[in-house]
PDB file of all heavy atoms in Angstrom:
ATOM      1  N   ARG A 281      99.942  46.479  35.672  1.00 97.00           N
ATOM      2  CA  ARG A 281      99.645  45.389  34.706  1.00 97.00           C
ATOM      3  C   ARG A 281     100.817  44.988  33.889  1.00 97.00           C
ATOM      4  O   ARG A 281     100.714  44.080  33.059  1.00 97.00           O
ATOM      5  CB  ARG A 281      98.501  45.911  33.891  1.00 97.00           C
ATOM      6  CG  ARG A 281      97.158  46.066  34.570  1.00 97.00           C
ATOM      7  CD  ARG A 281      95.903  46.212  33.690  1.00 97.00           C
ATOM      8  NE  ARG A 281      95.842  47.546  33.075  1.00 97.00           N
ATOM      9  CZ  ARG A 281      96.117  47.716  31.706  1.00 97.00           C
ATOM     10  NH1 ARG A 281      96.434  46.680  31.004  1.00 97.00           N
ATOM     11  NH2 ARG A 281      95.934  48.869  31.263  1.00 97.00           N
ATOM     12  N   LEU A 282     101.898  45.710  33.809  1.00 97.00           N
ATOM     13  CA  LEU A 282     103.065  45.317  33.102  1.00 97.00           C
ATOM     14  C   LEU A 282     103.571  43.975  33.780  1.00 97.00           C
ATOM     15  O   LEU A 282     103.869  43.949  34.909  1.00 97.00           O
ATOM     16  CB  LEU A 282     104.104  46.369  33.121  1.00 97.00           C
ATOM     17  CG  LEU A 282     104.074  47.602  32.238  1.00 97.00           C
ATOM     18  CD1 LEU A 282     105.064  48.657  32.543  1.00 97.00           C
ATOM     19  CD2 LEU A 282     104.082  47.194  30.742  1.00 97.00           C
ATOM     20  N   LYS A 283     103.655  42.950  32.872  1.00 95.00           N
ATOM     21  CA  LYS A 283     104.120  41.643  33.409  1.00 95.00           C
ATOM     22  C   LYS A 283     105.127  41.030  32.416  1.00 95.00           C
ATOM     23  O   LYS A 283     105.077  41.207  31.192  1.00 95.00           O
ATOM     24  CB  LYS A 283     102.870  40.740  33.489  1.00 95.00           C
ATOM     25  CG  LYS A 283     101.767  41.279  34.429  1.00 95.00           C
ATOM     26  CD  LYS A 283     102.198  41.312  35.833  1.00 95.00           C
ATOM     27  CE  LYS A 283     101.076  41.773  36.801  1.00 95.00           C
ATOM     28  NZ  LYS A 283     101.540  41.930  38.183  1.00 95.00           N
ATOM     29  N   ALA A 284     106.100  40.362  32.990  1.00 95.00           N
ATOM     30  CA  ALA A 284     107.038  39.502  32.212  1.00 95.00           C
ATOM     31  C   ALA A 284     107.521  38.450  33.148  1.00 95.00           C
ATOM     32  O   ALA A 284     107.603  38.575  34.426  1.00 95.00           O
ATOM     33  CB  ALA A 284     108.171  40.491  31.855  1.00 95.00           C
ATOM     34  N   PRO A 285     107.817  37.263  32.606  1.00 94.00           N
ATOM     35  CA  PRO A 285     108.312  36.092  33.366  1.00 94.00           C
ATOM     36  C   PRO A 285     109.487  36.445  34.304  1.00 94.00           C
ATOM     37  O   PRO A 285     109.463  35.851  35.427  1.00 94.00           O
ATOM     38  CB  PRO A 285     108.657  35.061  32.290  1.00 94.00           C
ATOM     39  CG  PRO A 285     107.815  35.485  31.001  1.00 94.00           C
ATOM     40  CD  PRO A 285     107.686  36.951  31.135  1.00 94.00           C
ATOM     41  N   TYR A 286     110.321  37.170  33.878  1.00 92.00           N
ATOM     42  CA  TYR A 286     111.585  37.480  34.634  1.00 92.00           C
ATOM     43  C   TYR A 286     111.493  38.842  35.322  1.00 92.00           C
ATOM     44  O   TYR A 286     112.371  39.303  35.922  1.00 92.00           O
ATOM     45  CB  TYR A 286     112.854  37.466  33.735  1.00 92.00           C
ATOM     46  CG  TYR A 286     113.218  35.940  33.362  1.00 92.00           C
ATOM     47  CD1 TYR A 286     112.708  35.493  32.036  1.00 92.00           C
ATOM     48  CD2 TYR A 286     113.941  35.154  34.227  1.00 92.00           C
ATOM     49  CE1 TYR A 286     112.957  34.262  31.684  1.00 92.00           C
ATOM     50  CE2 TYR A 286     114.203  33.858  33.766  1.00 92.00           C
ATOM     51  CZ  TYR A 286     113.680  33.374  32.586  1.00 92.00           C
ATOM     52  OH  TYR A 286     113.970  32.068  32.164  1.00 92.00           O
ATOM     53  N   GLY A 287     110.285  39.402  35.239  1.00 93.00           N
ATOM     54  CA  GLY A 287     110.056  40.609  36.080  1.00 93.00           C
ATOM     55  C   GLY A 287     110.170  41.917  35.367  1.00 93.00           C
ATOM     56  O   GLY A 287     110.662  42.013  34.089  1.00 93.00           O
ATOM     57  N   VAL A 288     109.864  42.982  35.952  1.00 96.00           N
ATOM     58  CA  VAL A 288     110.003  44.441  35.580  1.00 96.00           C
ATOM     59  C   VAL A 288     111.093  45.097  36.403  1.00 96.00           C
ATOM     60  O   VAL A 288     110.890  45.123  37.612  1.00 96.00           O
ATOM     61  CB  VAL A 288     108.659  45.188  35.667  1.00 96.00           C
ATOM     62  CG1 VAL A 288     108.807  46.603  35.060  1.00 96.00           C
ATOM     63  CG2 VAL A 288     107.553  44.386  34.859  1.00 96.00           C
ATOM     64  N   TYR A 289     112.091  45.590  35.777  1.00 95.00           N
ATOM     65  CA  TYR A 289     113.092  46.257  36.507  1.00 95.00           C
ATOM     66  C   TYR A 289     113.122  47.781  36.138  1.00 95.00           C
ATOM     67  O   TYR A 289     112.839  48.179  34.974  1.00 95.00           O
ATOM     68  CB  TYR A 289     114.480  45.608  36.212  1.00 95.00           C
ATOM     69  CG  TYR A 289     114.757  44.303  36.740  1.00 95.00           C
ATOM     70  CD1 TYR A 289     114.145  43.206  36.159  1.00 95.00           C
ATOM     71  CD2 TYR A 289     115.412  44.199  37.962  1.00 95.00           C
ATOM     72  CE1 TYR A 289     114.308  41.884  36.657  1.00 95.00           C
ATOM     73  CE2 TYR A 289     115.619  42.909  38.599  1.00 95.00           C
ATOM     74  CZ  TYR A 289     115.013  41.747  37.912  1.00 95.00           C
ATOM     75  OH  TYR A 289     115.192  40.512  38.456  1.00 95.00           O
ATOM     76  N   SER A 290     113.500  48.592  37.068  1.00 95.00           N
ATOM     77  CA  SER A 290     113.542  50.002  36.868  1.00 95.00           C
ATOM     78  C   SER A 290     114.656  50.702  37.528  1.00 95.00           C
ATOM     79  O   SER A 290     115.225  50.205  38.510  1.00 95.00           O
ATOM     80  CB  SER A 290     112.100  50.634  37.317  1.00 95.00           C
ATOM     81  OG  SER A 290     112.106  50.694  38.618  1.00 95.00           O
ATOM     82  N   VAL A 291     115.071  51.901  36.894  1.00 93.00           N
ATOM     83  CA  VAL A 291     115.972  52.786  37.599  1.00 93.00           C
ATOM     84  C   VAL A 291     115.377  54.164  37.639  1.00 93.00           C
ATOM     85  O   VAL A 291     114.352  54.468  36.923  1.00 93.00           O
ATOM     86  CB  VAL A 291     117.264  52.898  36.849  1.00 93.00           C
ATOM     87  CG1 VAL A 291     118.083  51.544  36.856  1.00 93.00           C
ATOM     88  CG2 VAL A 291     116.972  53.317  35.409  1.00 93.00           C
ATOM     89  N   LEU A 292     115.860  55.057  38.493  1.00 92.00           N
ATOM     90  CA  LEU A 292     115.270  56.416  38.573  1.00 92.00           C
ATOM     91  C   LEU A 292     116.023  57.282  37.525  1.00 92.00           C
ATOM     92  O   LEU A 292     117.270  57.242  37.369  1.00 92.00           O
ATOM     93  CB  LEU A 292     115.475  56.977  39.960  1.00 92.00           C
ATOM     94  CG  LEU A 292     114.806  56.232  41.123  1.00 92.00           C
ATOM     95  CD1 LEU A 292     114.904  56.929  42.443  1.00 92.00           C
ATOM     96  CD2 LEU A 292     113.306  55.949  40.776  1.00 92.00           C
ATOM     97  N   GLY A 293     115.323  58.215  36.888  1.00 92.00           N
ATOM     98  CA  GLY A 293     115.939  59.162  36.042  1.00 92.00           C
ATOM     99  C   GLY A 293     116.153  60.531  36.698  1.00 92.00           C
ATOM    100  O   GLY A 293     115.648  60.705  37.926  1.00 92.00           O
ATOM    101  N   ASN A 294     116.606  61.457  36.003  1.00 91.00           N
ATOM    102  CA  ASN A 294     116.908  62.720  36.598  1.00 91.00           C
ATOM    103  C   ASN A 294     115.665  63.453  37.038  1.00 91.00           C
ATOM    104  O   ASN A 294     115.621  64.087  38.186  1.00 91.00           O
ATOM    105  CB  ASN A 294     117.638  63.670  35.636  1.00 91.00           C
ATOM    106  CG  ASN A 294     116.993  63.971  34.445  1.00 91.00           C
ATOM    107  OD1 ASN A 294     116.544  63.069  33.660  1.00 91.00           O
ATOM    108  ND2 ASN A 294     116.736  65.180  33.961  1.00 91.00           N
ATOM    109  N   HIS A 295     114.564  63.264  36.387  1.00 91.00           N
ATOM    110  CA  HIS A 295     113.302  63.847  36.787  1.00 91.00           C
ATOM    111  C   HIS A 295     112.669  63.252  37.936  1.00 91.00           C
ATOM    112  O   HIS A 295     111.989  63.856  38.732  1.00 91.00           O
ATOM    113  CB  HIS A 295     112.284  63.828  35.632  1.00 91.00           C
ATOM    114  CG  HIS A 295     112.451  64.979  34.605  1.00 91.00           C
ATOM    115  ND1 HIS A 295     111.766  66.078  34.520  1.00 91.00           N
ATOM    116  CD2 HIS A 295     113.317  64.882  33.477  1.00 91.00           C
ATOM    117  CE1 HIS A 295     112.167  66.717  33.466  1.00 91.00           C
ATOM    118  NE2 HIS A 295     113.181  66.096  32.837  1.00 91.00           N
ATOM    119  N   ASP A 296     113.107  61.924  38.158  1.00 91.00           N
ATOM    120  CA  ASP A 296     112.559  61.297  39.342  1.00 91.00           C
ATOM    121  C   ASP A 296     113.201  61.643  40.683  1.00 91.00           C
ATOM    122  O   ASP A 296     112.604  61.265  41.762  1.00 91.00           O
ATOM    123  CB  ASP A 296     112.732  59.690  39.154  1.00 91.00           C
ATOM    124  CG  ASP A 296     112.015  59.236  37.934  1.00 91.00           C
ATOM    125  OD1 ASP A 296     111.010  59.820  37.481  1.00 91.00           O
ATOM    126  OD2 ASP A 296     112.624  58.368  37.190  1.00 91.00           O
ATOM    127  N   TYR A 297     114.353  62.329  40.661  1.00 90.00           N
ATOM    128  CA  TYR A 297     114.967  62.782  41.876  1.00 90.00           C
ATOM    129  C   TYR A 297     114.528  64.009  42.512  1.00 90.00           C
ATOM    130  O   TYR A 297     115.023  64.476  43.486  1.00 90.00           O
ATOM    131  CB  TYR A 297     116.510  62.734  41.641  1.00 90.00           C
ATOM    132  CG  TYR A 297     117.180  61.354  41.601  1.00 90.00           C
ATOM    133  CD1 TYR A 297     117.475  60.821  40.332  1.00 90.00           C
ATOM    134  CD2 TYR A 297     117.390  60.656  42.812  1.00 90.00           C
ATOM    135  CE1 TYR A 297     118.014  59.572  40.283  1.00 90.00           C
ATOM    136  CE2 TYR A 297     118.012  59.415  42.667  1.00 90.00           C
ATOM    137  CZ  TYR A 297     118.335  58.891  41.453  1.00 90.00           C
ATOM    138  OH  TYR A 297     118.830  57.613  41.377  1.00 90.00           O
ATOM    139  N   GLY A 298     113.444  64.613  41.950  1.00 85.00           N
ATOM    140  CA  GLY A 298     112.880  65.823  42.586  1.00 85.00           C
ATOM    141  C   GLY A 298     113.796  67.112  42.417  1.00 85.00           C
ATOM    142  O   GLY A 298     113.608  67.979  43.251  1.00 85.00           O
ATOM    143  N   ASP A 299     114.637  67.067  41.345  1.00 85.00           N
ATOM    144  CA  ASP A 299     115.625  68.256  41.304  1.00 85.00           C
ATOM    145  C   ASP A 299     114.895  69.518  40.621  1.00 85.00           C
ATOM    146  O   ASP A 299     115.525  70.497  40.496  1.00 85.00           O
ATOM    147  CB  ASP A 299     116.739  67.899  40.428  1.00 85.00           C
ATOM    148  CG  ASP A 299     117.703  66.888  41.176  1.00 85.00           C
ATOM    149  OD1 ASP A 299     117.665  66.944  42.420  1.00 85.00           O
ATOM    150  OD2 ASP A 299     118.415  66.033  40.595  1.00 85.00           O
ATOM    151  N   TYR A 300     113.607  69.312  40.184  1.00 84.00           N
ATOM    152  CA  TYR A 300     112.919  70.283  39.447  1.00 84.00           C
ATOM    153  C   TYR A 300     111.855  71.033  40.369  1.00 84.00           C
ATOM    154  O   TYR A 300     111.014  71.620  39.831  1.00 84.00           O
ATOM    155  CB  TYR A 300     112.394  69.889  38.123  1.00 84.00           C
ATOM    156  CG  TYR A 300     113.371  69.368  37.135  1.00 84.00           C
ATOM    157  CD1 TYR A 300     113.766  67.980  37.150  1.00 84.00           C
ATOM    158  CD2 TYR A 300     114.044  70.225  36.255  1.00 84.00           C
ATOM    159  CE1 TYR A 300     114.776  67.531  36.353  1.00 84.00           C
ATOM    160  CE2 TYR A 300     114.959  69.773  35.437  1.00 84.00           C
ATOM    161  CZ  TYR A 300     115.357  68.481  35.445  1.00 84.00           C
ATOM    162  OH  TYR A 300     116.338  67.959  34.533  1.00 84.00           O
ATOM    163  N   VAL A 301     112.047  70.857  41.666  1.00 85.00           N
ATOM    164  CA  VAL A 301     111.146  71.424  42.622  1.00 85.00           C
ATOM    165  C   VAL A 301     111.980  72.101  43.668  1.00 85.00           C
ATOM    166  O   VAL A 301     112.989  71.565  44.087  1.00 85.00           O
ATOM    167  CB  VAL A 301     110.212  70.411  43.217  1.00 85.00           C
ATOM    168  CG1 VAL A 301     109.361  71.011  44.378  1.00 85.00           C
ATOM    169  CG2 VAL A 301     109.349  69.729  42.271  1.00 85.00           C
ATOM    170  N   ASP A 302     111.504  73.286  44.154  1.00 82.00           N
ATOM    171  CA  ASP A 302     112.212  73.968  45.163  1.00 82.00           C
ATOM    172  C   ASP A 302     111.610  73.547  46.478  1.00 82.00           C
ATOM    173  O   ASP A 302     110.593  74.036  46.954  1.00 82.00           O
ATOM    174  CB  ASP A 302     112.057  75.488  45.129  1.00 82.00           C
ATOM    175  CG  ASP A 302     112.993  76.016  43.801  1.00 82.00           C
ATOM    176  OD1 ASP A 302     113.890  75.409  43.526  1.00 82.00           O
ATOM    177  OD2 ASP A 302     112.421  76.982  43.278  1.00 82.00           O
TER     178      ASP A 302
END
Side-chain angles (χ1 to χ4, degrees):
R281 293 194 286 107
L282 280 172
K283 301 295 181 184
Y286 291 94
V288 181
Y289 288 82
S290 69
V291 295
L292 302 186
N294 60 306
H295 283 262
D296 300 328
Y297 282 102
D299 291 334
Y300 297 91
V301 174
D302 291 330

